Amino acid sequence: MKNTLKIQRAVKSVTQAQLAEAIGVSRQSINTIEKGKFVPSTVLALKFARYFGVAVEELFILEDND
């Protein structure tokens, strides 16, 4: 699963640490998700979408091989 978290953060000028604090996870979790090494839970994905004001599908893209 691909994601656009890093792009969304850049658009809002938000650091990983700032996003982590706002969402309630560690900075390391944000880093791991951005690198595609961890797929967030549905609840966490919805929190990201709410924070950025976009649909979940804009943040997380399901690929054919998923």
Side-chain angles (χ1 to χ4, degrees):
M1 179 178 296
K2 290 173 45 176
N3 69 73
T4 62
L5 283 179
K6 190 171 185 175
I7 294 166
Q8 293 292 334
R9 280 193 312 100
V11 169
K12 281 196 136 189
S13 298
V14 175
T15 66
Q16 286 183 343
Q18 291 168 326
L19 177 58
E21 185 175 332
I23 299 296
V25 298
S26 69
R27 185 204 58 78
Q28 291 85 354
S29 293
I30 301 296
N31 187 44
T32 304
I33 293 168
E34 284 184 358
K35 289 182 176 182
K37 294 181 179 179
F38 177 74
V39 177
S41 68
T42 303
V43 172
L44 190 54
L46 289 167
K47 286 182 180 182
F48 283 123
R50 181 182 290 165
Y51 179 84
F52 289 113
V54 298
V56 172
E57 293 84 0
E58 289 184 53
L59 290 173
F60 300 98
I61 299 103
L62 189 63
E63 296 182 298
D64 290 338
N65 60 347
D66 288 334

